[in-house]
Amino acid sequence: MSVAESTKQLAPAGTWTADPVHSNVSFEVEYAGVNAFRGGFKEFTATLEGSNLEGSAKVASVDVKDEQLNGHLQTPDFFDAERNPEITFKATGLKRLDGDRVEGSGELTIKGVTQPIQLTGKVASAPATDPFGRERLGLKLEGEIDRTQYGVSWNAPNQSGGDYLGNDVKLIAELAFVKAGE
């Protein structure tokens, strides 16, 4: 790999793992036609090597501000946690652009359905050393999917017209990576 190619990698050589305490994996979807509803996953993993990113989230860890809704999201109406306990992601097409912008593609699997996803975001210009001597690197990625393409199609009619939930879902991963072995 040439010097020019290595400077375009998202991460310096080595394996980087997401620090779950300082990272966030979330989603937002239009709700009732008036605002964005947000939720996330408490348990997830992500590994970055060069520009290759892989990750997963445990469906049972979905977290919204209502325990009853957390339960409903586990059912076949939404994520079907019993038959599909994880959501997975794999990207090999991420590229660092000027100004530390990131663009690329990957594959997202929800409910056993794998679809391509386009991503944009930002990566830290260089790793930083934390107070414990570990190298850290920040990466934020966003993408949008149509949830119905993954079999997540529950909805209800909105009394004001249209459906209660939008089909387009924004996905956000704000990942603080720590270099493995440190």
Side-chain angles (χ1 to χ4, degrees), residues 125-144:
S125 58
T129 303
D130 70 17
F132 306 103
R134 297 174 298 194
E135 282 188 273
R136 293 183 165 270
L137 183 71
L139 173 65
K140 180 178 181 179
L141 293 173
E142 295 183 358
E144 193 168 292

Side-chain angles (χ1 to χ4, degrees), residues 10-84:
L10 294 187
T15 300
W16 299 76
T17 56
D19 169 0
V21 173
H22 298 99
S23 298
N24 183 47
V25 174
S26 61
F27 58 88
E28 59 183 54
V29 61
E30 186 176 300
Y31 176 74
V34 297
N35 70 313
F37 177 80
R38 292 177 178 84
F41 295 91
K42 292 180 184 178
E43 296 179 42
F44 56 88
T45 63
T47 303
L48 178 63
E49 291 183 10
S51 291
N52 297 327
L53 175 65
E54 290 189 31
S56 65
K58 292 194 182 301
V59 171
S61 76
V62 70
D63 185 38
V64 295
K65 294 179 181 179
D66 181 291
E67 283 304 314
Q68 185 176 359
L69 181 53
N70 281 341
H72 189 199
L73 292 172
Q74 305 297 316
T75 72
D77 284 344
F78 288 94
F79 296 118
D80 197 1
E82 186 174 319
R83 284 184 277 196
N84 301 283

